[in-house]
Amino acid sequence: MILFASAGWLPFSAKHVIIFNKLVTRATLIVHCMNKGEDKGVISLGPGDSFDFRFRVNLRKTTVYTCSFAW
């Protein structure tokens, strides 16, 4: 599993999160990402698949996403 997050140069620029299933066992990776106001749902990633999402940090800089992983 590889998690990549890209942050723009400016504090409030769009953030880009990319999750890759690179498990050497070739197992399916189950991903669930959410924050206080948005649930990205449960995503099933086969070997070599990826999932990505973008978001912007709010004015108080309290935007936090939490992701859980299972395989």
Side-chain angles (χ1 to χ4, degrees):
M1 165 183 58
I2 297 173
L3 174 64
F4 174 76
S6 158
W9 292 100
L10 301 173
F12 298 107
S13 62
K15 310 305 180 209
H16 189 194
V17 176
I18 308 170
I19 301 166
F20 296 95
N21 180 355
K22 297 286 185 179
L23 295 169
V24 295
T25 61
R26 302 196 48 80
T28 297
L29 177 65
I30 307 299
V31 180
H32 186 201
C33 296
M34 68 176 107
N35 73 9
K36 189 168 81 172
E38 182 179 13
D39 188 338
K40 297 294 184 183
V42 177
I43 309 296
S44 178
L45 299 177
D49 288 345
S50 64
F51 166 67
D52 71 303
F53 63 94
R54 295 176 190 271
F55 67 95
R56 290 191 181 275
V57 175
N58 65 17
L59 290 175
R60 292 180 298 194
K61 297 183 182 178
T62 58
T63 304
V64 176
Y65 272 88
T66 302
C67 296
S68 62
F69 303 92
W71 57 91

